[in-house]
Amino acid sequence: RSGISELDFAVNGAMRDVFASNNNFSELDNVITTENSNFTWPNDLVTFFDSHDESRLLTMNNNQNRLQEAMAFLITCRGIPIILYGDEQYLHNDTNSGNDPYNRVWMSSFSTITAAYKLISKLAGLRQSNDALGYGTWRQRWINNDVYIYERQFFNDVVLVAINKNDTTAQSISGLDTSLPAGTYADYLGALQSGASLTVTSGGGGNNPANKLSLPAHSVSVWQVNNAATTPEVGRDRKSTRLNSS
């Protein structure tokens, strides 16, 4: 509660467990839930999964889909995301289990056409254009061992994210509610990570039901709505209080 932004080591450990070691998504959800309660300003926590002090995710599990899923989670999660150089190039050296100095290896080339680079570029743009990612509340909407669907919301700006980390099996999703208005939403990533479209019908109380859908294996789907504010909007505190200022 000091007002100082802190490195979010709890999310770091949970992300590495879930995306590299294939632990259940419940571990990550439990950490997010606990920290959102413990911290006054959880959106100011500094989030990361790779750093100069630990082996890279690709050393732990050389699976580019998992890296990209972790990237998508990091950039859409609450907090301030930090990406270690070279992850967008799939850089890793597994010598000595990738520990220092092999986690800090020379990057001899740079490509802007890797899927990881494109994913970062797309989602960084979304963070700029949709305030739900930078300032919004956090809400888990659907979860099992391999699938995590969560929602960020700031006033009428909404981002809904679905990740299926299973490498071989699609997941059928039913009973999903969202704050997205009724309508049909294309995957914001343009199927860059095998994302699906979503159709939402009208409900009540901020719970509009989504039609049944199938999330492909190793996929990330992002659906969003960005409503231009007609009056100033100010959001604050972990309890999701919203203030409307004129």
Side-chain angles (χ1 to χ4, degrees):
R1 303 179 191 279
S2 66
I4 298 173
S5 295
E6 297 185 348
L7 294 174
D8 196 338
F9 282 100
V11 163
N12 169 273
M15 287 189 68
R16 291 164 74 84
D17 286 346
V18 168
F19 291 106
S21 301
N22 204 34
N23 285 17
N24 295 344
F25 264 126
S26 58
E27 177 182 347
L28 190 50
D29 184 61
N30 289 338
V31 167
I32 293 285
T33 300
T34 298
E35 287 195 327
N36 285 356
S37 176
N38 288 344
F39 285 87
T40 304
W41 310 110
N43 279 329
D44 289 346
L45 289 167
V46 179
T47 53
F48 63 106
F49 62 80
D50 271 350
S51 77
H52 62 279
D53 287 329
E54 54 196 345
S55 60
R56 291 178 181 257
L57 196 76
L58 284 177
T59 292
M60 299 177 66
N61 183 352
N62 191 11
N63 182 325
Q64 292 183 3
N65 281 314
R66 288 293 179 86
L67 177 76
Q68 286 151 199
E69 292 152 17
M71 284 286 191
F73 180 84
L74 179 69
I75 301 173
T76 58
C77 178
R78 62 99 182 101
I80 303 168
I82 300 296
I83 298 170
L84 183 63
Y85 84 97
D87 275 351
E88 76 291 332
Q89 307 298 310
Y90 310 114
L91 180 69
H92 66 108
N93 184 326
D94 301 337
T95 305
N96 190 31
S97 299
N99 291 313
D100 188 15
Y102 299 101
N103 54 352
R104 314 182 192 189
V105 294
W106 180 257
M107 188 167 64
S108 58
S109 63
F110 189 84
S111 171
T112 60
I113 62 172
T114 67
Y117 178 93
K118 293 178 180 178
L119 185 144
I120 293 168
S121 179
K122 288 281 289 185
L123 291 178
L126 184 61
R127 282 189 72 92
Q128 285 189 311
S129 65
N130 193 314
D131 287 338
L133 293 185
Y135 308 108
T137 56
W138 174 277
R139 188 174 187 179
Q140 181 241 100
R141 285 297 197 171
W142 204 99
I143 192 170
N144 68 11
N145 292 350
D146 289 330
V147 172
Y148 198 14
I149 304 178
Y150 53 92
E151 187 172 80
R152 310 292 311 284
Q153 183 173 8
F154 184 78
F155 289 86
N156 294 321
D157 295 339
V158 180
V159 177
L160 184 68
V161 181
I163 301 175
N164 179 8
K165 68 182 175 68
N166 193 293
D167 287 317
T168 59
T169 306
Q171 174 68 57
S172 179
I173 305 295
S174 59
L176 172 65
D177 289 329
T178 177
S179 297
L180 289 168
T184 297
Y185 298 85
D187 171 34
Y188 177 82
L189 295 174
L192 180 62
Q193 191 65 27
S194 303
S197 62
L198 179 75
T199 299
V200 178
T201 57
S202 295
N207 290 304
N208 294 331
N211 288 1
K212 187 174 181 180
L213 73 153
S214 179
L215 297 179
H218 58 71
S219 69
V220 177
S221 303
V222 179
W223 308 288
Q224 65 99 28
V225 62
N226 184 3
N227 290 297
T230 57
T231 59
E233 296 173 338
V234 180
R236 67 175 298 272
D237 92 15
R238 67 184 187 276
K239 299 300 184 184
S240 307
T241 300
R242 291 175 171 80
L243 304 179
N244 202 356
S245 175
S246 58

